[in-house]
Amino acid sequence: MITVDEIKRVLPHRYPMLLIDRVTELVPGERASGLKAVTCNEPWYEEMPDTASAEDYHYPWTVLIESWCHVAGVLVAWDRPNPDVRKGKAMLLGGITDAEFHRPVVPGDVVEHHVRLARQVGETFVFEGESLVGKETVLTIGRLTMTMRPASDLDAPPVTASPVTGPPAAAPPVPDPPVPDPL
């Protein structure tokens, strides 16, 4: 079992964006599972009025996916921890396809994320998996792509096109259509 102090040695995330509480299984290069206990004390519920309904407490879907991604991050970075993204390699989310939300997650739920490494090409990783509350699936990820890039690349100035000097060139004139000869 990997506890929060060990997770913080691997991932750069901190409160309020450290979204897993422990990793319960880790098979490097293959799979990982982790837990997230959802409570009503999380920042997304801070402005919730006392009159809020149970539906208002649905855990944000984007945050649920981010939590799942943290387990994927531990799977990728366990052998090469990098808690400071300004140095070494930074994890970048490439994209998600076929994500399905099956039921809302609410405070009191303990979410168990299951992440499987489907493919690795160089420093790019493709994952799949699901999240459960008890035995009920709440989220399915068909494919999630993550890549590792040197942090120094992220600090480099953006590449821009060469500046244009002078006013833009005028379009060539369009000739008038030929006029038919009346004779």
Side-chain angles (χ1 to χ4, degrees), residues 83-95:
D84 183 356
V85 294
R86 295 166 294 187
K87 300 175 183 171
K89 300 250 177 154
M91 272 180 228
L92 302 173
L93 176 64

Side-chain angles (χ1 to χ4, degrees), residues 13-74:
H13 304 80
R14 299 295 182 266
Y15 177 85
M17 290 308 293
L18 179 58
L19 299 173
I20 53 174
D21 299 311
R22 61 176 63 139
V23 174
T24 55
E25 177 188 36
L26 177 66
V27 179
E30 287 185 35
R31 67 184 182 277
S33 297
L35 299 176
K36 165 63 182 159
V38 176
T39 76
C40 61
N41 291 317
E42 304 208 30
W44 8 98
Y45 302 126
E46 185 176 358
E47 302 292 323
M48 197 69 67
D50 291 341
T51 57
S53 68
E55 290 81 31
D56 293 330
Y57 283 93
H58 293 173
Y59 197 67
W61 293 121
T62 54
V63 181
L64 183 65
I65 289 174
E66 177 73 16
S67 179
W68 189 92
C69 289
H70 288 193
V71 176
V74 170

